[in-house]
Amino acid sequence: MNVTTETSDTEISVNPGVYAIRHHYEVANDFYRLLLGPTMMYSGGYWEPGADLVATLDQAQERKLDVFAELARVAENDRVLDIGSGWGTLLDRLTRRHGAGHGVGLTLSRTQQTFTEELNNPRIQTRLESWDEHEPDQPYDAAFSINSLEHFVHASLPPRDRRKRYHTFFQRVHTALRPGARFVLHTMTAEALPMNQALLSDLKFLQRSEFEGCHIPHLHELTWGTEGLFHVVEIVNEREAFAAACRAWLERLAQRRDEAVALEGEDVVARFERYLDIFAYTLEDGFFNNFRITLEHRS
Ligand SMILES: C[S@@+](CC[C@H](N)C(=O)[O-])C[C@H]1O[C@@H](n2cnc3c(N)ncnc32)[C@H](O)[C@@H]1O
């Protein structure tokens, strides 16, 4: 793994530093289990209309993973890549339920890597590696990135350099895939809407404190980034599905708040409550969207 002990200038100017990512993702796995439930998915779910968000959280997450597998056309013995693989749930499901032969996950979180290793699934490998460091041994048959792109480009870059970074990201995914393979991407995007003081202060908290340096992309940055590399198969806005997940996690946290405080302390619990509430209402209000984008490798 190529992670330095200090945040270098290059990291500051290109990616949000590894320490910014670890600040959020190296909270104890037991805390995340309490928050996210057994599926350990940290992204939107596909609920049936009117379903109880907390009671059916795991089914909603599994339903989403199965839709993603289908969209990517995962087939027997495929090699699959998950960029920003969290606690390994997608790769575990692709190999156990959808026939994938080998799955590689990239994450910067050591606790996520440990958790994934403890799934004892010999067909998956988690690498403590950034998306811009990964050099595949052979091309993959499918790739995924679920609510991770929001961490990949530093907010302080000027717009032109940000676009270049997104293009570099899509180029790397393109190079990692065999011709005709699909890449299913889920990402929040930011829309330009009128601001008020409260929203400005909440955005500042997200970008300066909880997810320091992370830039939530604009849709046009992604369009620019995929140019000439991928065909767009489908693009769907699923902002309500992500807002619903934030509401479900907030409810789980409220139900087991004392346990959460015992595990990580009041400050961490308060940070999570604040950021989840900000994401829930900004997604509900349409300040942020959450797009599922299915792309096909163009050769
Ligand atoms: C919100 S989590 C999503 C995890 C998983 N995809 C899910 O839906 O549950 C974001 C993930 O992106 C990873 N990540 C952040 N920056 C990264 C980078 N530069 N390269 C690879 N992974 C990164 C984090 O370690 C984390 O696993």
Side-chain angles (χ1 to χ4, degrees), residues 25 41-43 84 86 107-108 112 130-131 146-148 151-152:
Y25 291 104
M41 282 305 293
Y42 205 12
S43 45
T107 178
L108 296 183
Q112 289 181 339
S130 177
W131 63 269
I146 307 184
N147 288 115
S148 302
H151 296 304
F152 293 174

Side-chain angles (χ1 to χ4, degrees), residues 2-272:
N2 186 10
V3 172
T4 47
T5 46
E6 283 175 30
T7 307
S8 70
D9 288 350
T10 326
E11 276 176 325
I12 289 170
S13 61
V14 177
N15 286 341
V18 67
Y19 297 102
I21 303 300
R22 289 183 178 166
H23 168 72
H24 188 80
Y25 291 104
E26 291 197 356
V27 169
N29 283 331
D30 283 346
F31 174 87
Y32 272 111
R33 196 179 284 108
L34 185 152
L35 183 74
L36 306 177
T39 46
M40 293 294 265
M41 282 305 293
Y42 205 12
S43 45
Y46 290 175
W47 277 270
E48 301 279 20
D52 180 312
L53 294 184
V54 171
T56 60
L57 171 63
D58 292 322
Q59 290 97 308
Q61 292 293 3
E62 286 168 354
R63 192 173 295 122
K64 177 190 66 185
L65 297 180
D66 294 342
V67 169
F68 274 52
E70 231 168 87
L71 284 169
R73 299 189 298 210
V74 172
E76 210 57 29
N77 291 323
D78 270 1
R79 287 171 46 80
V80 296
L81 173 68
D82 187 7
I83 309 164
S85 52
W87 291 266
T89 316
L90 170 66
L91 292 177
D92 199 48
R93 197 158 178 94
L94 293 177
T95 50
R96 290 191 205 270
R97 291 282 187 108
H98 295 275
H102 182 62
V104 173
L106 309 182
T107 178
L108 296 183
S109 160
R110 295 163 295 190
T111 46
Q112 289 181 339
Q113 186 189 41
T114 305
F115 184 94
T116 310
E117 282 167 1
E118 286 169 3
L119 294 174
N120 286 321
N121 180 339
R123 279 178 292 164
I124 67 182
Q125 181 197 23
T126 308
R127 302 177 69 110
L128 218 44
E129 216 168 63
S130 177
W131 63 269
D132 52 358
E133 296 171 328
H134 182 56
E135 302 292 345
D137 313 332
Q138 343 166 9
Y140 293 100
D141 301 295
F144 301 85
S145 188
I146 307 184
N147 288 115
S148 302
L149 184 69
E150 299 89 324
H151 296 304
F152 293 174
V153 174
H154 204 286
S156 66
L157 289 178
R160 197 182 49 187
D161 292 348
R162 280 204 310 252
R163 281 204 306 270
K164 281 193 199 150
R165 279 304 275 170
Y166 288 115
H167 192 60
T168 303
F169 170 74
F170 286 109
Q171 263 172 336
R172 288 193 76 97
V173 180
H174 184 265
T175 306
L177 287 171
R178 63 161 171 77
R182 287 193 171 177
F183 173 39
V184 186
L185 169 68
H186 226 194
T187 180
M188 292 173 76
T189 62
E191 311 307 321
L193 289 181
M195 291 270 179
N196 59 35
Q197 204 55 43
L199 182 55
L200 271 177
S201 145
D202 284 345
L203 295 179
K204 198 166 136 192
F205 165 76
L206 290 180
Q207 211 182 62
R208 300 246 174 102
S209 175
E210 194 57 39
F211 301 104
E212 195 193 329
C214 292
H215 171 67
I216 297 193
H218 302 292
L219 197 52
H220 63 83
E221 292 175 320
L222 307 185
T223 314
W224 201 90
T226 55
E227 195 65 37
L229 300 170
F230 290 96
H231 296 290
V232 179
V233 176
E234 181 204 63
I235 169 160
V236 189
N237 190 353
E238 299 187 320
R239 70 184 165 84
E240 289 92 350
F242 200 1
C246 294
R247 293 282 175 219
W249 300 328
L250 274 169
E251 209 176 311
R252 282 182 63 91
L253 200 50
Q255 285 167 359
R256 299 179 59 186
R257 198 173 193 286
D258 291 348
E259 277 173 79
V261 171
L263 280 170
E264 280 294 344
E266 177 61 38
D267 286 356
V268 170
V269 173
R271 266 171 47 202
F272 273 71

